[in-house]
């Protein structure tokens, strides 16, 4: 049985001041459950965590889990088209021209034929691949938890170049930033608090900028949020420094929002949405002005927010899935499957797919009122 609660209706001002997640009953439900699929067994896991996100195609969805089996499912009813033992995955596959590019927890990037699940090639790295690859006509770009960025030939998987950052002397946060690609440069963040632009052709650094903030004694400086590029603006974040807007060509800082524990960033149109662990989900404009905050205290780490069908959707690791009004942060609906949801949602204008910490994939329709 699916356990669901409907989220709370609050005024914009109350939403900004709230410290804890809103979970009160309000209005008609936005989410309509269509089907569920268990993708892994967790019989001996008392505190399960699943981070994998589905890739959504026109007719099918593709998803893995820590269980090690990767699935192609029919988007309409969830029936299995094929399944292949790939290894534990905690990321979203990249679907490009009939092929899937999938990172694994044991440090491989794997290319798989989307039609039949056959492995095309596999490249071994030194760290877990926890963020999606970016694929172009001739190359695949991706990062690893070992503070490394790789470029491979898309067709063959052959090595092109690699760039590595120095490991920080202090502790680091689990996870790593993914890559963003624009024109002739690959942008990513490292655990030492540095954001870097690399040449797509050679991997040579074009610029480096510290996002570590003003506190020289900060215990954690990781720039683990995957950068987002909007025109000539790069939006990135670090645990100690907050959220930054930088010039794409030069790496110079244009503005900064000094929020501690800043995490994942998403952009829709001229709006920026980002999370800060145990503080909240924020909305800001492209000049760095905060518009609202919805509290998340005591609800667990937030996955990257997603814009879908006119809603802002985010999940919290110790609670569940939240559907909010992107204009105000007002929570419209809340879904709790048990053991929380740590993964990011995958969505179209009318459908949403999310993997719970108990390795159950939920498919919802998004209702519009």
């Amino acid at each position: 049985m699916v356990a669901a609660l409907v989220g709370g209706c609050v005024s914009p001002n109350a939403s900004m001041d709230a410290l804890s997640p809103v979970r009160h009953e309000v209005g008609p439900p936005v989410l309509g459950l269509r089907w569920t699929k268990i993708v892994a067994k967790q019989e001996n896991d008392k505190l399960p965590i699943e981070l994998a996100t589905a890739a959504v195609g026109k007719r099918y969805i593709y998803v893995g889990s820590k269980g090690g089996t990767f699935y192609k499912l029919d988007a309409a009813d969830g029936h299995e088209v094929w399944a292949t033992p790939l290894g534990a995955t905690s990321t979203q596959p990249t679907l490009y021209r009939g092929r899937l590019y999938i990172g694994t927890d044991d440090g491989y990037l794997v290319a798989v034929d989307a039609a039949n699940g056959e492995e095309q090639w596999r490249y071994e790295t030194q760290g877990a691949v926890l963020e999606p690859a970016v694929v172009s006509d001739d190359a695949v770009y991706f990062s690893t938890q070992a503070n490394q960025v790789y470029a491979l030939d898309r067709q063959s998987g052959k090595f092109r170049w690699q760039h590595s950052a120095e490991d920080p002397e202090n502790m680091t946060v689990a996870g790593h930033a993914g890559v963003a690609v624009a024109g002739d440069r690959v942008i990513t963040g490292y655990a030492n608090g540095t954001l870097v632009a690399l040449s797509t052709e050679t991997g040579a650094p074009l610029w480096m900028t510290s996002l570590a903030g003003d506190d020289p004694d900060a215990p954690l400086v990781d720039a683990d949020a995957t950068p987002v590029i909007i025109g000539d603006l790069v939006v990135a974040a670090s645990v100690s420094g907050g959220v930054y807007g930088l010039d794409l060509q030069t790496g110079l800082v244009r503005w900064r929002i000094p929020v501690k524990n800043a995490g994942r960033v998403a952009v829709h149109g001229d709006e920026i949405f980002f999370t800060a662990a145990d503080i909240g989900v924020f909305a800001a404009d492209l000049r760095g002005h905060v518009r609202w905050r919805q509290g998340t205290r005591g609800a667990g780490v937030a996955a990257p927010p997603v814009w879908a069908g006119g809603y802002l959707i985010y999940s919290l690791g110790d609670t569940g899935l939240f559907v909010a009004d992107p204009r105000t942060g007002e929570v419209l609906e809340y879904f709790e499957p048990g053991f929380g949801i740590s993964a990011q949602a995958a969505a179209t204008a009318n459908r949403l797919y999310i993997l719970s910490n108990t390795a159950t994939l939920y498919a919802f329709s998004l209702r519009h009122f």
Side-chain angles (χ1 to χ4, degrees):
M1 178 179 291
V2 177
L5 296 178
V6 181
C9 182
V10 294
S11 68
N13 288 336
S15 178
M16 284 188 70
D17 294 335
L19 295 176
S20 300
V22 176
R23 290 176 285 188
H24 306 295
E25 295 184 359
V26 61
V30 173
L31 299 173
L33 181 65
R34 297 184 63 86
W35 51 262
T36 63
K37 166 76 173 179
I38 297 174
V39 298
K41 294 182 179 180
Q42 299 175 325
E43 298 172 349
N44 299 319
D45 199 340
K46 295 181 179 180
L47 294 172
I49 295 177
E50 287 287 352
L51 298 171
T53 300
V56 182
K58 292 182 179 179
R59 292 185 52 195
Y60 304 103
I61 61 172
Y62 309 87
V63 68
S65 72
K66 289 188 176 180
T69 301
F70 192 88
Y71 293 91
K72 177 179 181 178
L73 305 173
D74 189 290
D77 58 15
H79 82 257
E80 183 179 311
V81 180
W82 54 253
T84 185
L86 190 67
T89 62
S90 297
T91 186
Q92 183 178 36
T94 302
L95 179 62
Y96 187 86
R97 295 190 175 182
R99 185 181 278 182
L100 295 156
Y101 299 86
I102 309 160
T104 70
D105 293 2
D106 57 357
Y108 289 92
L109 187 75
V110 187
V112 172
D113 189 316
N116 54 29
E118 292 183 359
E119 187 171 313
Q120 306 295 296
W121 52 258
R122 175 180 291 246
Y123 186 88
E124 184 177 10
T125 75
Q126 297 177 7
V129 183
L130 305 177
E131 297 294 334
V134 174
V135 184
S136 69
D137 285 345
D138 63 342
V140 181
Y141 306 96
F142 66 101
S143 56
T144 77
Q145 197 165 15
N147 278 318
Q148 296 172 328
V149 178
Y150 290 85
L152 308 178
D153 182 85
R154 182 178 73 86
Q155 289 290 352
S156 65
K158 290 182 179 180
F159 176 85
R160 288 194 170 183
W161 55 256
Q162 174 190 334
H163 183 268
S164 302
E166 293 183 3
D167 292 329
E169 296 179 358
N170 50 1
M171 296 184 297
T172 62
V173 178
H176 64 87
V179 300
V181 179
D184 64 350
R185 55 201 60 203
V186 179
I187 315 292
T188 195
Y190 287 128
N192 61 11
T194 300
L195 190 76
V196 62
L198 307 172
S199 165
T200 55
E201 291 299 317
T202 66
L206 302 175
W207 53 255
M208 290 186 179
T209 301
S210 174
L211 306 186
D214 304 324
D215 183 1
D217 299 319
L220 299 170
V221 298
D222 307 54
D224 281 349
T226 299
V228 178
I229 301 171
I230 318 101
D232 64 351
L233 179 70
V234 179
V235 181
S238 76
V239 174
S240 59
V243 179
Y244 291 77
L246 304 97
D247 185 273
L248 173 63
Q249 296 301 316
T250 65
L252 294 176
V253 175
R254 295 182 182 178
W255 50 258
R256 174 188 170 208
I257 304 172
V259 177
K260 295 294 183 183
N261 300 323
R264 306 301 185 166
V265 176
V267 174
H268 180 81
D270 59 356
E271 294 180 291
I272 300 167
F273 303 98
F274 65 92
T275 63
D278 215 33
I279 297 175
V281 176
F282 293 74
D285 62 27
L286 295 182
R287 294 174 295 173
H289 300 139
V290 174
R291 295 178 53 246
W292 55 255
R293 173 179 64 82
Q294 179 61 259
T296 60
R297 183 175 63 184
V301 176
V306 173
W307 177 286
Y311 302 109
L312 185 69
I313 298 166
Y314 58 93
S315 53
L316 298 171
D318 294 339
T319 48
L321 183 71
F322 293 78
V323 181
D325 185 331
R327 299 166 298 176
T328 63
E330 176 183 333
V331 174
L332 304 174
E333 187 170 5
Y334 166 66
F335 168 74
E336 183 176 355
F339 291 96
I341 298 177
S342 299
Q344 182 182 20
T348 65
N350 299 306
R351 297 285 180 90
L352 183 145
Y353 305 92
I354 189 85
L355 186 66
S356 74
N357 282 339
T358 54
T360 300
L361 183 67
Y362 291 87
F364 295 98
S365 59
L366 288 171
R367 297 167 178 159
H368 302 279
F369 302 96

